[in-house]
Amino acid sequence: MNDATTTTADLKARVLAFARERDWEQFHAPKNLSMALAAEAAELMEHFLWVTPEASREVAVDPAKRAKIAEELADIVIYALEFANITELDVATIIGAKMEANAKKYPVEKSRGRAEKYTEL
Amino acid sequence: MNDATTTTADLKARVLAFARERDWEQFHAPKNLSMALAAEAAELMEHFLWVTPEASREVAVDPAKRAKIAEELADIVIYALEFANITELDVATIIGAKMEANAKKYPVEKSRGRAEKYTEL
Amino acid sequence: MNDATTTTADLKARVLAFARERDWEQFHAPKNLSMALAAEAAELMEHFLWVTPEASREVAVDPAKRAKIAEELADIVIYALEFANITELDVATIIGAKMEANAKKYPVEKSRGRAEKYTEL
Amino acid sequence: MNDATTTTADLKARVLAFARERDWEQFHAPKNLSMALAAEAAELMEHFLWVTPEASREVAVDPAKRAKIAEELADIVIYALEFANITELDVATIIGAKMEANAKKYPVEKSRGRAEKYTEL
């Protein structure tokens, strides 16, 4: 299983099967999954709390930390996919729609090299 | 573009192209992306703050809210994929590894229908 | 030191002295403190991920968990006070102002017993 | 009302009165309050997503942003105080205890000028 050959549907099916086998769908209400997502995102963030953004690039490739960081990222995507399973959202479709909307908010010529929010461009 | 036919590599490439076109990779340090992920996860959570988990299942299919919820979920996955791009992590691989580890921590017979953490099973 | 006799200024001074003794103000940029705050809030949340709101009332008084929950809450307030120290905000003043604004957004007669956001009342 | 003269008990009483007047204690389960806290912490963080820690010091005193930042911080402290109200925790006491524990984990001579976690000192 790798990114080049795995579809989002494959990943979603694997996550759903795991939950079903354990009869965990009863706990996977959108409220609870959104909390779990936020909690995992915070765990990822904890690796970078006190370093500068530049230094965080080194942290992410530090062999002593990379495995743990990969696990936190995996947890985030797993919960996001399970949220999509439970709410019957098609991830590729909503990403496509969001990126089209973002392209309008952030036209290349106005936003190149700038980090401001679209309301401040 | 839909989940059945879109690979994770396709999605990652699309997200990366968007950032590159705008010369935004300079802002996409792991520290900053982890903050953006946590911020988007919090926005998703805000839809469910004061309702019960059961009621949150209704919120998620409420036509008045569904589009907004889909956007928040899309934002989360977009930042997760960009984090994987920047740190050169293969999402399908790390999900596979994490789910194998989870399967050991949560054997079906011990965890069926139970929400306790593996340390409390 | 207890809530009846301790002023916010006392607490802020104690937190600031701790940071200064360790020469930690250099790390306490608003960006970093806001991340630490969000990370601690997520740790508090983790105690309640899979239970209902009603059941979470029991969790909070469970002797086995209460000490840990108290620590997470303490961390949140410590970082909030340090954020106020660094940005020179008067906590009591901004709380007073925010609660006056909230009182206008949520008049008693319109919001009694209702959890909707003021924009939906 | 200002930090020099306001006790934590004063602030807690004010927050509790606001909730009681609106019959909101029914919504203020620890689970829900911890989510609200995390959501507000994320809103504070959003002001600093793409800037460096150093630049975030400027953002926090920017007159155009300061009022909004103060509101987010107020929200965080309000929810933390309400969490303490609902769970009957004495904030000054738990902060005192946490800071004593922190002083042991981070002795001045070992931690001066260093941002590492105590497990890595």
Side-chain angles (χ1 to χ4, degrees):
Chain A
M1 194 162 85
N2 65 57
D3 287 347
T5 59
T6 311
T7 66
T8 313
D10 294 335
L11 291 175
K12 285 168 78 175
R14 183 148 180 190
V15 170
L16 187 60
F18 190 93
R20 284 210 173 140
E21 261 188 311
R22 285 160 186 77
D23 193 19
W24 280 0
E25 283 177 289
Q26 61 184 304
F27 305 119
H28 287 182
K31 178 181 177 107
N32 294 354
L33 289 172
S34 71
M35 290 175 77
L37 253 170
E40 296 299 342
E43 288 185 19
L44 181 63
M45 206 164 59
E46 285 193 36
H47 293 276
F48 312 113
L49 286 187
W50 307 114
V51 298
T52 63
E54 279 322 292
S56 77
R57 297 183 192 262
E58 305 306 314
V59 174
V61 294
D62 177 341
K65 294 181 179 158
R66 190 160 174 80
K68 203 82 195 69
I69 288 169
E71 278 185 46
E72 319 286 19
L73 185 66
D75 279 330
I76 291 167
V77 183
I78 289 168
Y79 281 125
L81 293 172
E82 180 66 351
F83 191 98
N85 280 329
I86 293 288
T87 57
E88 300 186 354
L89 286 167
D90 188 277
V91 174
T93 301
I94 65 176
I95 287 184
K98 191 66 198 335
M99 294 197 73
E100 274 182 45
N102 285 348
K104 275 176 200 148
K105 281 196 215 166
Y106 297 99
V108 171
E109 60 282 7
K110 275 180 77 178
S111 55
R112 190 182 287 119
R114 299 183 58 184
E116 284 89 350
K117 211 175 169 178
Y118 69 98
T119 46
E120 296 173 13
L121 282 176
Chain B
M1 194 162 84
N2 65 58
D3 286 348
T5 59
T6 310
T7 66
T8 313
D10 294 335
L11 290 175
K12 284 168 79 175
R14 182 149 181 191
V15 170
L16 187 60
F18 190 93
R20 284 209 171 141
E21 260 188 310
R22 284 160 186 78
D23 193 19
W24 280 359
E25 282 176 289
Q26 61 184 304
F27 306 119
H28 287 182
K31 178 180 175 106
N32 294 353
L33 289 172
S34 72
M35 290 175 77
L37 253 170
E40 295 299 341
E43 288 186 20
L44 181 63
M45 205 164 60
E46 285 193 37
H47 292 276
F48 311 114
L49 286 187
W50 307 113
V51 299
T52 63
E54 278 321 292
S56 77
R57 297 184 192 262
E58 305 305 313
V59 173
V61 294
D62 178 340
K65 293 180 179 159
R66 190 160 174 81
K68 202 82 195 69
I69 288 169
E71 278 185 46
E72 319 286 19
L73 185 66
D75 279 330
I76 291 167
V77 183
I78 288 168
Y79 281 125
L81 294 171
E82 180 65 351
F83 191 98
N85 279 328
I86 294 289
T87 56
E88 299 186 353
L89 287 167
D90 188 277
V91 174
T93 301
I94 65 176
I95 287 183
K98 191 65 196 338
M99 293 196 73
E100 274 183 46
N102 285 349
K104 276 177 201 147
K105 281 196 215 167
Y106 297 97
V108 171
E109 60 282 8
K110 274 181 78 178
S111 56
R112 189 181 289 119
R114 299 183 57 184
E116 284 88 353
K117 212 176 168 177
Y118 67 99
T119 48
E120 297 173 12
L121 281 176
Chain C
M1 194 160 84
N2 64 59
D3 287 348
T5 60
T6 310
T7 65
T8 313
D10 294 335
L11 290 175
K12 284 168 78 174
R14 184 150 180 190
V15 170
L16 187 60
F18 189 93
R20 285 211 171 139
E21 261 187 309
R22 286 159 184 77
D23 193 19
W24 281 358
E25 284 176 289
Q26 60 183 305
F27 306 119
H28 287 183
K31 178 180 176 108
N32 294 354
L33 289 171
S34 72
M35 289 175 78
L37 254 170
E40 296 298 341
E43 288 187 18
L44 181 63
M45 207 163 60
E46 286 193 36
H47 293 276
F48 311 114
L49 285 187
W50 306 114
V51 298
T52 64
E54 278 322 291
S56 77
R57 297 182 192 262
E58 304 307 313
V59 174
V61 295
D62 178 341
K65 294 181 179 159
R66 189 161 175 80
K68 203 81 194 69
I69 288 170
E71 277 185 46
E72 320 286 21
L73 185 65
D75 279 331
I76 292 167
V77 183
I78 288 168
Y79 282 125
L81 293 172
E82 181 65 351
F83 190 98
N85 280 329
I86 294 288
T87 56
E88 299 186 354
L89 287 167
D90 188 276
V91 174
T93 301
I94 65 177
I95 287 183
K98 191 66 196 338
M99 295 198 72
E100 275 182 45
N102 285 349
K104 275 176 200 146
K105 280 196 214 166
Y106 297 98
V108 171
E109 59 281 8
K110 275 180 78 179
S111 54
R112 190 182 288 119
R114 299 183 58 184
E116 284 89 350
K117 209 174 171 179
Y118 69 97
T119 46
E120 296 174 12
L121 282 175
Chain D
M1 194 161 83
N2 64 59
D3 287 347
T5 59
T6 310
T7 66
T8 313
D10 294 335
L11 290 175
K12 283 167 79 174
R14 183 149 180 191
V15 170
L16 187 60
F18 190 93
R20 284 210 172 140
E21 260 187 310
R22 285 159 185 78
D23 193 18
W24 280 358
E25 284 176 289
Q26 61 184 304
F27 306 119
H28 287 182
K31 179 181 175 106
N32 294 354
L33 288 172
S34 71
M35 290 175 76
L37 254 170
E40 296 298 342
E43 288 187 18
L44 182 62
M45 207 164 60
E46 286 193 36
H47 293 276
F48 312 114
L49 286 187
W50 306 114
V51 297
T52 64
E54 278 322 293
S56 77
R57 297 184 192 262
E58 305 305 313
V59 173
V61 294
D62 177 341
K65 294 181 178 159
R66 191 161 174 79
K68 202 83 195 69
I69 288 169
E71 277 185 47
E72 320 286 19
L73 185 65
D75 279 330
I76 291 167
V77 183
I78 288 168
Y79 281 124
L81 293 171
E82 181 65 351
F83 190 98
N85 280 328
I86 293 288
T87 57
E88 298 186 354
L89 287 167
D90 188 277
V91 174
T93 301
I94 65 176
I95 287 183
K98 191 66 196 339
M99 294 196 73
E100 274 181 45
N102 285 348
K104 275 175 202 148
K105 281 196 216 167
Y106 298 97
V108 171
E109 59 282 8
K110 275 180 77 179
S111 56
R112 190 181 288 120
R114 301 183 55 184
E116 284 89 353
K117 213 176 167 176
Y118 69 98
T119 47
E120 297 174 12
L121 282 177

